[in-house]
Amino acid sequence: MTAKILDGAALARELRTEIAKAASELTAKGHQPGLAVVLVGEDPASQVYVRNKVSACEQAGFYSEMHRLPANTSEAALLELVTTLNHRDNIHGILVQLPLPAHINSHKVIETIAAEKDVDGFHISNAGLLMTGQPLFRPCTPYGVMKLLEKTGISLRGAEAVVIGASNIVGKPQAMLLLQSGATVTVCNSKTKDLASHCKRADILVVAVGRPNMITGDMIKPGAVVIDVGINRLPDGKLCGDVDFNSASEVAGWITPVPGGVGPMTITMLLQNTLEAVQRTL
Ligand code: NAP
């Protein structure tokens, strides 16, 4: 079997066109969606991420502002900035890029963002709302994965879904969203015994670990939908996922490439969450 490609770049373009249209209608009524992005320090990867987020906002017709703070910014100064942004009417979404420098308590910062402006969906109230089946904001990467799964047309009801990785930003919220869609969900972590046996049962396999090519074709159920969240940089500078694309695509029914799969969907869902934040204020 040769898997069909789940093209995240194409789906992201489609969704961003719809988002831009909705943003233009809101702007015409005086409610331009606004996102504030806060970056502390000079981490090179974080700089690329925030630049991409701000540029996606501009392309979608959102107002966006970028707050670049030096690495030695105090926690108190950062909390003060977040509080100011919480009170700004033209800012509907606030994103503080993680990781923060070690002297800043990132939990405290995230809890200071007003839950209704927490477009990353990391605030403890938003995690709780998601857990109890009444999500306000779905964390962007798992939300994007759900959109990709929707695109396959495959029903999740009763499907065996296996999520590899249990982080607060990807694995855990992903498991919740799959569960709420009617899938039977298994979550694996670094202590899981016999990972391959779990993978082989999966109709839907979502891999979010951060280890290059760890899932190979022999670990995949024929016809499964394989979603590769991982982004790894190889010594030669190339990007690869957590799934060995060549062997996996011989067995899977659907597969996301890296790059061009989940990545473009993550920023798209950030725009979608910001749009939803505006719509809730009207
Ligand atoms: P993370 O916080 O480091 O979490 C990794 C998870 O993988 C942990 O739950 C860990 O288990 C588990 N794990 C580690 N080794 C394992 C093994 N051998 N078998 C099974 N599970 C194992 O990472 P993350 O933030 O979730 O990100 C995961 C990957 O996705 C990274 O490559 C990241 O760059 C990528 N990512 C991509 C996007 C995107 O937009 N495409 C967005 C976010 C993240 P324990 O809990 O036991 O430690």
Side-chain angles (χ1 to χ4, degrees):
M1 175 179 294
T2 304
K4 288 186 219 158
I5 302 295
L6 253 178
D7 186 344
L11 180 57
R13 274 196 299 278
E14 213 177 282
L15 294 175
R16 285 188 204 192
T17 304
E18 287 168 22
I19 292 168
K21 184 167 175 280
S24 133
E25 285 165 12
L26 285 165
T27 303
K29 293 179 189 150
H31 306 292
Q32 183 182 26
L35 177 73
V37 179
V38 181
L39 173 65
V40 185
E42 269 98 45
D43 177 62
S46 294
Q47 293 195 29
V48 174
Y49 295 147
V50 296
R51 216 179 303 130
N52 290 345
K53 287 168 187 175
V54 168
S55 119
C57 277
E58 282 162 7
Q59 282 165 27
F62 286 23
Y63 169 73
S64 70
E65 60 185 41
M66 165 94 157
H67 296 263
R68 281 174 179 275
L69 306 178
N72 63 358
T73 299
S74 69
E75 185 179 285
L78 179 57
L79 294 178
E80 195 181 321
L81 170 62
V82 170
T83 306
T84 307
L85 294 169
N86 282 342
H87 290 103
R88 293 256 311 275
D89 286 342
N90 66 335
I91 297 295
H92 305 91
I94 302 169
L95 183 154
V96 178
Q97 185 65 42
L98 301 176
L100 287 167
H103 67 279
I104 297 178
N105 178 339
S106 45
H107 293 292
K108 202 164 165 188
V109 175
I110 291 166
E111 299 335 323
T112 303
I113 298 173
E116 65 278 10
K117 295 191 179 187
D118 165 44
V119 282
D120 261 338
F122 296 162
H123 191 287
I124 203 151
S125 315
N126 285 324
L129 286 168
L130 178 66
M131 175 84 174
T132 52
Q134 33 183 350
L136 190 66
F137 294 110
R138 295 155 181 87
C140 303
T141 300
Y143 193 5
V145 169
M146 296 311 287
K147 291 281 176 194
L148 283 163
L149 290 174
E150 215 176 287
K151 201 70 187 168
T152 65
I154 292 171
S155 169
L156 297 178
R157 282 175 72 91
E160 286 285 339
V162 175
V163 180
I164 320 276
S167 69
N168 288 335
I169 64 169
V170 188
K172 283 184 203 159
Q174 188 69 71
M176 283 303 135
L177 290 172
L178 286 163
L179 191 62
Q180 283 157 24
S181 299
T184 301
V185 184
T186 303
V187 187
C188 301
N189 62 18
S190 63
K191 291 98 192 164
T192 298
K193 292 177 188 152
D194 196 1
L195 189 68
S197 71
H198 293 285
C199 294
K200 274 188 201 151
R201 283 191 295 104
D203 301 310
I204 311 290
L205 181 64
V206 182
V207 191
V209 173
R211 285 186 61 187
N213 303 322
M214 72 177 283
I215 303 297
T216 45
D218 56 327
M219 299 167 81
I220 292 170
K221 178 175 175 179
V225 182
V226 177
I227 307 280
D228 190 354
V229 180
I231 303 178
N232 307 290
R233 184 143 329 254
L234 295 171
D236 64 4
K238 286 191 184 141
L239 287 184
C240 81
D242 291 349
V243 176
D244 174 44
F245 185 84
N246 289 337
S247 63
S249 57
E250 290 299 315
V251 187
W254 291 88
I255 191 165
T256 57
V258 178
V262 176
M265 292 301 292
T266 296
I267 295 189
T268 304
M269 302 328 287
L270 173 69
L271 299 175
Q272 175 66 28
N273 275 346
T274 308
L275 194 66
E276 291 175 16
V278 186
Q279 284 159 342
R280 267 186 224 115
T281 65
L282 304 178

